[in-house]
Amino acid sequence: MLIGAHVYEDDPVATAAERGADIVQMFLADPQGWKKPPSHPQAAELRASDVAVVVHSPYVVNLASLNNRIRIPSRKLVVQHAEAAAEVGAIGLVVHGGHVTQGEDAATGVDNWRKFFSRQADDGGFAVPILVENTAGGDNAMARRFDALARLWDAIGEFGAGFCLDTCHAHAGGEDLVGVVDRAKAITGRIDLVHLNNSRDGFDSARDRHANIDSGTIEPDLLAAVCAAADAPVVVETPADGQAGDIAFLRERLTR
């Protein structure tokens, strides 16, 4: 099982070695910006490395949005980031489920996702798999609660969409982590990546604040159990100074 961390540094290969990571996740551009990602200076080294790579799309992306000024550039940005992710040899591109605003029809948001996947399929598909991530907050979110996730998957599952399960998001979003893997797989048929994060806030708080494995409101053993059940690559998106410890904890628990 690949176990690693989200890193912000310009030298992800060295950072992976420092933290004992088999896999690194990273942004390829400003996570709050709309600019096309530049070529990564370590692209060739990453492709040749034994370290696996996954890329996270910018937070501004909202493929469900009914606002053309958000949805249309979101589509462009996802395609661009998928192409850039392929250049570094990434196994996938993580994209948040997005949301519609209050008073808007969530079904239209789901349809916007379907149109995006359908049109891209007609253009030859994505350069790397798109991994849709469950989110923590918002009553109008596409992938917070699993009933909404099921509606989204009915629309996009046929196009080969992947799924990223975030434990903090599930907990804060009101989904019990006991049995969460089975419930997610019953909807998506797959878990391609786990974001293994503890939560600083309580169950169903709708607050997305990550904590290291041993310092949040979720029992560490439950987090390890989710990873074991998922049997997928694991990335911790926890505070950097505790990531090495988080990785060591998981590796010890999952390789007994």
Side-chain angles (χ1 to χ4, degrees), residues 5 9-10 13 21 49 62 154 156 160 178 199 209 235 241 252 254:
E9 292 83 358
D10 293 331
V13 175
S49 171
N62 185 359
D154 283 345
I156 67 173
V178 175
S199 174
R209 300 199 302 168
V235 166
D241 57 359
E252 190 273 331
L254 297 174

Side-chain angles (χ1 to χ4, degrees), residues 97-135:
H99 62 277
V100 297
T101 60
Q102 186 173 3
E104 293 178 336
D105 187 357
T108 307
V110 169
D111 192 49
N112 284 338
W113 266 96
R114 179 177 176 80
K115 288 177 180 176
F116 176 55
F117 269 90
S118 178
R119 291 170 181 171
Q120 195 60 32
D122 290 342
D123 287 341
F126 297 98
V128 298
I130 303 300
L131 311 182
V132 182
E133 180 180 359
N134 63 305
T135 51

Side-chain angles (χ1 to χ4, degrees), residues 56 59 94 96-97 133-137 143-146 164-175 177 180 195-199 202-210 218 237:
H56 200 300
Y59 296 130
V94 177
H96 286 175
E133 180 180 359
N134 63 305
T135 51
R144 172 185 176 180
R145 301 191 188 280
F146 280 13
C164 172
L165 173 66
D166 187 301
T167 54
C168 172
H169 294 178
H171 175 78
E175 291 290 338
L177 290 185
V180 72
H195 283 171
L196 199 283
N197 305 305
N198 211 320
S199 174
F203 181 77
D204 207 17
S205 63
R207 303 189 72 182
D208 181 12
R209 300 199 302 168
H210 298 183
I218 306 169
E237 299 175 311

Side-chain angles (χ1 to χ4, degrees), residues 16-254:
E18 290 170 3
R19 299 180 190 176
D22 306 313
I23 181 171
V24 291
Q25 176 181 277
M26 58 186 180
F27 293 112
L28 294 178
D30 179 1
Q32 300 294 347
W34 293 97
K35 290 184 178 180
K36 179 180 179 179
S39 295
H40 195 281
Q42 287 191 336
E45 187 175 354
L46 285 164
R47 289 195 305 271
S49 171
D50 291 333
V51 177
V53 179
V54 64
V55 172
H56 200 300
S57 65
Y59 296 130
V60 294
V61 166
N62 185 359
L63 295 166
S65 178
L66 275 61
N67 185 337
N68 289 345
R69 294 182 178 180
I70 296 174
R71 184 183 66 261
I72 293 173
S74 291
R75 290 173 174 172
K76 182 177 180 180
L77 204 59
V78 168
V79 172
Q80 290 173 338
H81 275 260
E83 291 170 350
E87 291 179 5
V88 298
I91 62 173
L93 175 69
V94 177
V95 181
H96 286 175
H99 62 277
V100 297
T101 60
Q102 186 173 3
E104 293 178 336
D105 187 357
T108 307
V110 169
D111 192 49
N112 284 338
W113 266 96
R114 179 177 176 80
K115 288 177 180 176
F116 176 55
F117 269 90
S118 178
R119 291 170 181 171
Q120 195 60 32
D122 290 342
D123 287 341
F126 297 98
V128 298
I130 303 300
L131 311 182
V132 182
E133 180 180 359
N134 63 305
T135 51
D139 293 333
N140 303 297
M142 299 294 101
R144 172 185 176 180
R145 301 191 188 280
F146 280 13
D147 57 345
L149 180 66
R151 290 189 290 272
L152 178 60
W153 226 259
D154 283 345
I156 67 173
E158 68 182 88
F159 298 105
F163 182 60
C164 172
L165 173 66
D166 187 301
T167 54
C168 172
H169 294 178
H171 175 78
E175 291 290 338
D176 192 342
L177 290 185
V178 175
V180 72
V181 169
D182 288 340
R183 298 198 313 278
K185 284 187 175 180
I187 294 168
T188 66
R190 59 197 291 170
I191 294 178
D192 300 270
L193 181 70
V194 175
H195 283 171
L196 199 283
N197 305 305
N198 211 320
S199 174
R200 293 170 59 186
D201 302 289
F203 181 77
D204 207 17
S205 63
R207 303 189 72 182
D208 181 12
R209 300 199 302 168
H210 298 183
N212 292 108
I213 291 175
D214 63 354
S215 61
T217 60
I218 306 169
E219 287 294 328
D221 285 343
L222 178 54
L223 292 172
V226 170
C227 291
D231 193 25
V234 177
V235 166
V236 298
E237 299 175 311
T238 53
D241 57 359
Q243 284 184 349
D246 291 339
I247 292 170
F249 170 85
L250 288 173
R251 188 163 287 129
E252 190 273 331
R253 291 301 178 93
L254 297 174

